[in-house]
Amino acid sequence: MRAAEGGAHENGGRHISGSERLLCGHQLEEEAKELVARALAHERGQVDFIRITIDRVDKRRLQFVTALHAAASQHDSIDKAKAAAKTYLVQAGVHKGAAEKAIALLSASEDYPGAYIMNAQTGAIMNPCGKAVRVSRMDWKEGEFVKWCGTYGYRPSLRLQEAVALASKTAASSFTVAELCWSDDLRYLTGYVASRSTGYIRLSPLKKEGSPTGGRVFFVTEETDMNQYIHFLSEVPVMIRKEGKMNEPHHLST
Ligand code: PML
């Protein structure tokens, strides 16, 4: 589901809400209703465009990815949380200059309807034609998210469920070095750095209450084949599970 204010995204509408599910047929009706309710009630604005797309997924194409492990990094100021984000990004293999550029980018970004892709060494933005990239076709295997939360003592929430699924799918690509994200919702101040080496590190506060800025940056290797990368993120169906053999980086067989 994706929803916008002022018309469709492709016609310049402002992005308000988006969500992804992988479901069995009998769950479709109820979930679709919930997604519409969610778009209509969103605090970022009054939507006048909602698009729900439903595609059948061939089970044989389904890939399983183990959820990233989690840690929390709580700070008493935004500057300190951002400095910690930079340190974790550098630990994951991002060049210091690229990490700084991404933090500045998200600190000024509003309504970008997907992710920026950034060269992890040079900081160059790589999005084809400047278009935001949406990660799609991923979800948790039934019951696994609640187990994952239990391990870390987190209260399950839809926001966390979707963020960890997205971060785990993205980190599973061999082209991804790391991800930086924080919400553009006005009252949600927690974000994260994610990578195969650091896991999913929740950082707070990454912005001031009431600020509409935020978004996602995926840092990629110099060797990234953009077509393959975007195909994996947006097309390949991925089920997230809590346990499993540690993922080999995904080599993008389709
Ligand atoms: C979003 O809601 O747009 C992103 C959420 C990021 C943080 C989720 C968390 O770990 O609490």
Side-chain angles (χ1 to χ4, degrees):
M1 177 279 288
R2 60 188 173 96
E5 182 181 60
H9 298 86
E10 50 277 27
N11 298 330
R14 187 168 81 91
H15 177 68
I16 299 291
S17 174
S19 200
E20 301 289 335
R21 298 281 184 279
L22 268 180
L23 303 163
C24 296
H26 70 272
Q27 299 168 296
L28 284 177
E29 214 174 308
E30 195 177 327
E31 264 315 309
K33 243 167 82 182
E34 272 186 31
L35 290 175
V36 172
R38 179 170 172 187
L40 290 174
H42 209 282
E43 65 168 23
R44 281 173 51 76
Q46 179 117 50
V47 301
D48 48 27
F49 169 87
I50 302 175
R51 174 142 306 162
I52 295 189
T53 310
I54 299 175
D55 296 313
R56 179 192 285 275
V57 165
D58 181 351
K59 265 191 175 166
R60 287 165 306 184
R61 288 185 60 218
L62 196 56
Q63 310 210 1
F64 286 87
V65 159
T66 305
L68 294 170
H69 59 263
S73 178
Q74 184 73 38
H75 299 273
D76 56 19
S77 75
I78 296 168
D79 286 348
K80 286 183 191 162
K82 286 184 176 171
K86 185 167 99 181
T87 302
Y88 292 126
L89 288 170
V90 170
Q91 265 175 29
V94 176
H95 189 277
K96 186 168 154 274
E100 284 165 357
K101 190 171 166 191
I103 291 168
L105 180 66
L106 293 192
S107 303
S109 177
E110 288 180 35
D111 310 326
Y112 194 63
Y116 296 95
I117 301 186
M118 184 179 278
N119 181 312
Q121 299 313 311
T122 65
I125 299 289
M126 315 281 290
N127 297 57
C129 307
K131 251 183 89 183
V133 171
R134 271 186 73 83
V135 187
S136 195
R137 294 178 166 80
M138 71 285 178
D139 208 341
W140 288 82
K141 194 166 178 279
E142 206 165 348
E144 296 285 289
F145 173 63
V146 171
K147 280 198 245 164
W148 184 90
C149 286
T151 302
Y152 301 105
Y154 295 146
R155 193 154 43 89
S157 72
L158 194 54
R159 184 190 298 274
L160 184 60
Q161 179 178 330
E162 292 182 342
V164 179
L166 187 154
S168 300
K169 178 178 181 183
T170 303
S173 164
S174 55
F175 293 137
T176 305
V177 175
E179 177 189 351
L180 170 68
C181 165
W182 69 82
S183 179
D184 49 13
D185 290 354
L186 306 180
R187 282 190 291 269
Y188 202 77
L189 314 181
T190 301
Y192 62 87
V193 166
S195 74
R196 291 187 298 280
S197 57
T198 60
Y200 181 92
I201 305 175
R202 305 179 79 191
L203 291 137
S204 196
L206 282 168
K207 67 175 191 180
K208 255 201 332 246
E209 183 149 354
S211 161
T213 59
R216 288 195 155 81
V217 178
F218 300 154
F219 299 89
V220 295
T221 64
E222 300 271 11
E223 296 75 35
T224 300
D225 177 321
M226 228 34 169
N227 288 334
Q228 281 190 18
Y229 189 53
I230 291 171
H231 175 79
F232 172 67
L233 295 178
S234 57
E235 301 292 336
V236 175
V238 163
M239 223 15 139
I240 310 295
R241 57 187 176 192
K242 178 182 175 290
E243 305 287 353
K245 187 159 72 64
M246 204 47 208
N247 304 311
E248 287 301 318
H250 183 85
H251 290 297
L252 306 157
S253 57
T254 53

